[in-house]
Amino acid sequence: MPPFLPRKRFSSEDPPPAKRQAQDPAQPFHIDDSDSDSDSSLSDVPEESADGNITPQAPRASDGDEEEEDDDIDWEDAIDTKTTSATTPTLAVPEIQDLELTLDREETHVSDILDGKKGPSKIERLIRTQTHCMHVQCLLFHNAIRNAWINDKKVHEILRQKLPDSIQKEVKKWRIAAGIEIPERKPEPPKSKKKGKKARKKQDWDEESQRLEPGQPDMSGGDPIIPLLKVLAAYWRKQFRITAPGLRKHGYRSVSSIEAILKEFREGDHDPELHGERIANLEEFRSVAERMQGSRDVGAQLFTALIRALDLEGRLVGSLQPLGFGWTRAEIATPPKTENAEKADSDVEAGGFDSETGSEQVRPKANKGHAQYDKDLPFPIYWTEVASPITHQIIPVDPLVLPNPVATTPDFQAAFEPRGAKAERAKQVICYVLAHSADGTAKDVTTRYLRRRTWPGKTKGFRIPVEKIPQPGRRGQYFEYDWFRRIMRGYERNPDRKTKVDEVEDAGDLQPKQPEKKKATQTADTLQSLRQSTEFVLERFLRREEALRPGAEPVRTFTAGRGAKAKEEPVFRRADVVKCMSAESWHKEGRQIQAGAVPLKRVPIRAVTLIRKREVDELQHETGEKPMQGLYALDQTEFIIPPPIEDGRIPKNDYGNIDCFVPSMVPRGAAHVPLPGTVRICKKLGIDYAEAVTGFEFGSKMAVPVIQGVVVAAENEDLLKDAWRIEAAEKRKREELKAEKRILQTWRKFLFGLRIAERVREEYGGDPDADRERDSHNPFAIRKKHQEVQGSDEGHEGAEDPFEESYNPIDHGGGFLLPGEGDDVDDGLIVEEDHDRTSKGPSAKHLSHDSVGEDEESEGLSPPISIPEPDEDDESGYVPLTRNTRRRRRGG
DNA sequence: CTGTGCAATACCACTTTGCCCCCC
DNA sequence: AGGGGGGCTTTGTGGTATTGCACA
């Protein structure tokens, strides 16, 4: 939304936006930071709130007509039961209806887009982006929960006990080689804390030992952890059985098919093949650890647990597979029909629905026991990163999917990056790769798995890119907004707790490499390479306001097109391109065209305002051709230096004001006082002035000057400023008084209302049940109840509330003014005084900022400091305060 | 397979001096 | 009574970037 500038005149507190502000630089998605505590103990989460293994769902927003009725009912229910404020429901309902319309349209549009008939609209793009962002965050949290489970001591115990002797031996061998144990010692059950390790290490040093250097790692055969990891990975591959489908990206589906899936998910029994694997809580996680079976994903998670059980630093790595935000084929769900036909015997796809009919496909259930899940996914989605305790290097390990399970070199690491036709068919992507550590923190390690560690690489189009927001007022300077980084802020490890491993990888693996420059400059020119070149340019690429410096020589020639269509074009240096502007534009920069300068370029005049348009049309009519204007380069212009003022007289332009676009346009001997309301003061003081035009506003086919204060002679500057300060102080005082009066009136109205209510109750009595019924909609009654429940301990707040039950209404007129009261300062205040006496409430006289400010409900009703005379006298005598009288009063 | 040209689309930047009503 | 301040309103168009597609 462009900044809304209601005023042409800016007050000093309200500086004008620098020229045209960039479109709303606000982030496309608002993320609530409030819960982003990186140290929040994720292990506290008792179970997954929603099954993370549900197949990715299409945006909620594209739900179809059938859902809408439900939505309405939900909303109404919510309003009835949850809303305490009376304003919310009335506001909310029409908004929902608006949304419905949009959604209906969206549905038809999506089908058009899928047919390639139409591009997506802005709102459709937004829905996809939001869906993507939401999905990313859900996946991220899912992984964080799994990571917390992986820390479970019982899971560790289960996995350790399952290790056969041969593996135990390998572990011991490694511990010796790594210098953690000395050979003589019997292998102890590994301690889980590093502290223990260090303590033991020290002990080893102290002890007499046969080994020359017992605590030193043996690096003679490379890092000894690598053979251990290889053994462990081989063991895992052999032992772990893949019995369920894992997470995967399906893409966006038709509403009907999603609804069918949802319906079955809610109503039917849980079918892992259809709804994805479900591990509801830690207990079930322990159970799959015991059985050593599950999806590939769980396999990788349990392997990470095994690594941690062996006292190694292991991270759970997840390559998120979120729904995308683009409109390519990769985002459309592939109907499983063909796949089923292809490999009906081997592959069972989770969520196999015919997107056309929404009916469930006949699945090869007979083969369930032998189904090889996710065989069509050539790359892992979860794996493990192990930190070598010796080198502090990270070694990725994928025991279940890749042919080479232990990725020791960058080449092997790049094998994790999904690529090729098979990955494309399976919709496997790389966009966000996160490593979750044992301490609950997570880290973006995508760079490690990108081929050549070059951004954006394969993440292009699947990961929200860093947004460059131009800084207002500074050309060429950008503020970089990285949505995902902001999301990660809640998960990242505190900078002051960074480990050695962090240090090593931040400087190495995670350091993105600059894309290799495309071989020097002299590779055969293509139109595209020239278009993107920062060094060379073709004349036809020059923008409207760009021109070649006079005398610029072409560097070489470029032949575009082939055969008969071939065309030779000169290639120029970008350095020879200069930016040009019209005389008017230069004027706005405080510069004018030098005498006799010849424009470097002539372009058609762009007229926006009606007047200019008319002028241009007339000219075109006369001459028969488009009127042109000349553009000049910077070196053809000079500063506008207005002549110094004489006798305190300020020169004015045709419109009676002075152009003040830049400070240099203020004449010598004059001063710009950009304060509001200075015109009147100047008139009063009798000094010559001119209103200062600092820019223009455009709207309704008009250009409106923005006026900021005045320009006066320098000798009058202080005089004017002083006068302005005095006036401003007076004005502030007036406003304070006015506000005070308003506040008193509000209090007064409030009290009258209460009196009326009280009197009605007194006179006509009240059925307590009916009262309660009515009170359920009365915000004050609700608040009162709330206080009774909450604050009954001391009654502190309740007692201070002048509208409490204890307030005694007798003899206050019950909403009617008693004789003689009306001409009192404010009858409401008398009540207050009485109240003060009885229940220690704040008396109006003592109402101070603090006493009322404490009461949250009174916000905005800042209390009186002194009591002004009311200037209304219409309330003397018995004047019932009815709606009519109130309206009359408000009306004036 | 890659580069080019075209078309469709979205978004951005440029544009340069009122009018009327109500309150003070 | 009249002067001045504030509210009104969110333009329109050409250029440019981007994307997808057809074709060489």
Side-chain angles (χ1 to χ4, degrees), chain A residues 563-738:
Chain A
K565 276 194 266 179
K567 240 187 325 197
E568 289 241 321
E569 280 182 80
V571 180
F572 292 93
R573 285 184 192 285
R574 267 258 160 224
D576 283 332
V577 176
V578 285
K579 196 169 183 297
C580 299
M581 286 200 282
S582 63
E584 291 92 343
S585 297
W586 280 121
H587 181 66
K588 213 169 83 185
E589 306 274 311
R591 301 183 73 93
Q592 59 194 6
I593 312 301
Q594 285 167 357
V598 180
L600 290 189
K601 201 175 183 177
R602 294 187 70 81
V603 292
I605 293 177
R606 249 195 234 169
V608 168
T609 60
L610 274 180
I611 296 165
R612 292 284 292 223
K613 225 174 216 151
R614 221 171 283 147
E615 281 174 16
V616 169
D617 281 352
E618 261 171 41
L619 261 173
Q620 188 169 0
H621 228 74
E622 282 171 22
T623 58
E625 53 194 43
K626 274 199 170 177
M628 310 288 264
Q629 66 183 158
L631 298 184
Y632 303 84
L634 178 71
D635 55 12
Q636 292 178 292
T637 64
E638 60 195 12
F639 276 114
I640 300 169
I641 307 289
I645 61 164
E646 288 165 22
D647 311 328
R649 297 208 68 79
I650 310 294
K652 297 168 192 71
N653 62 18
D654 298 346
Y655 306 96
N657 46 35
I658 183 165
D659 291 336
C660 217
F661 306 123
V662 289
S664 64
M665 291 174 84
V666 180
R668 207 180 315 151
H672 180 198
V673 184
L675 300 171
T678 33
V679 171
R680 206 183 51 233
I681 300 171
C682 286
K683 274 186 190 161
K684 219 159 59 179
L685 293 174
I687 52 181
D688 192 40
Y689 70 94
E691 289 190 277
V693 176
T694 53
F696 286 94
E697 284 280 304
F698 296 92
S700 331
K701 295 183 175 178
M702 276 180 302
V704 181
V706 174
I707 288 166
Q708 258 191 302
V710 293
V711 171
V712 292
E715 62 261 27
N716 293 331
E717 187 184 357
D718 289 340
L719 182 71
L720 174 62
K721 278 184 176 170
D722 288 344
W724 183 84
R725 268 185 219 115
I726 292 162
E727 195 132 305
E730 276 170 8
K731 197 178 161 197
R732 202 166 53 231
K733 214 169 163 188
R734 273 203 307 275
E735 272 165 9
E736 267 168 16
L737 281 175
K738 213 170 121 190

Side-chain angles (χ1 to χ4, degrees), chain A residues 488-558:
Chain A
M488 283 304 290
R489 229 164 45 185
Y491 290 92
E492 266 166 7
R493 184 173 286 150
N494 214 316
D496 53 13
R497 289 196 209 153
K498 292 264 181 206
T499 63
K500 181 83 186 160
V501 175
D502 285 326
E503 229 172 84
V504 170
E505 70 178 342
D506 287 348
D509 291 3
L510 298 187
Q511 199 57 243
K513 286 184 185 149
Q514 289 305 311
E516 282 157 39
K517 275 191 179 170
K518 282 185 181 172
K519 291 164 249 166
T521 44
Q522 284 297 342
T523 45
D525 280 326
T526 64
L527 208 67
Q528 261 168 348
S529 71
L530 277 172
R531 202 191 290 272
Q532 281 155 15
S533 168
T534 50
E535 204 178 344
F536 301 108
V537 71
L538 294 183
E539 211 163 349
R540 62 166 145 159
F541 295 156
L542 291 179
R543 299 179 184 184
R544 190 186 115 102
E545 63 276 14
E546 281 178 340
L548 285 169
R549 188 189 303 285
E553 292 288 328
V555 194
R556 55 176 184 268
T557 56
F558 165 72

Side-chain angles (χ1 to χ4, degrees), chain A residues 405-420:
Chain A
V406 182
T408 44
T409 65
D411 282 350
F412 284 135
Q413 287 170 8
F416 285 82
E417 182 193 87
R419 73 175 80 91

Side-chain angles (χ1 to χ4, degrees), chain A residues 784-799:
Chain A
K784 204 178 74 190
K785 266 185 213 154
H786 188 64
Q787 282 174 346
E788 274 166 11
V789 174
Q790 263 199 338
S792 55
D793 45 358
E794 289 212 21
H796 170 74
E797 253 195 284

Side-chain angles (χ1 to χ4, degrees), chain A residues 14 16 36 51 170 190 213 234 285 324 360 469 592 603 607 617 624 670 682-683 775 790 797 821 842:
Chain A
D14 181 23
S36 62
D51 190 344
E170 286 292 331
E213 286 181 300
F285 192 66
E360 195 187 348
I469 298 155
Q592 59 194 6
V603 292
D617 281 352
C682 286
K683 274 186 190 161
D775 282 355
Q790 263 199 338
E797 253 195 284
E821 257 187 38

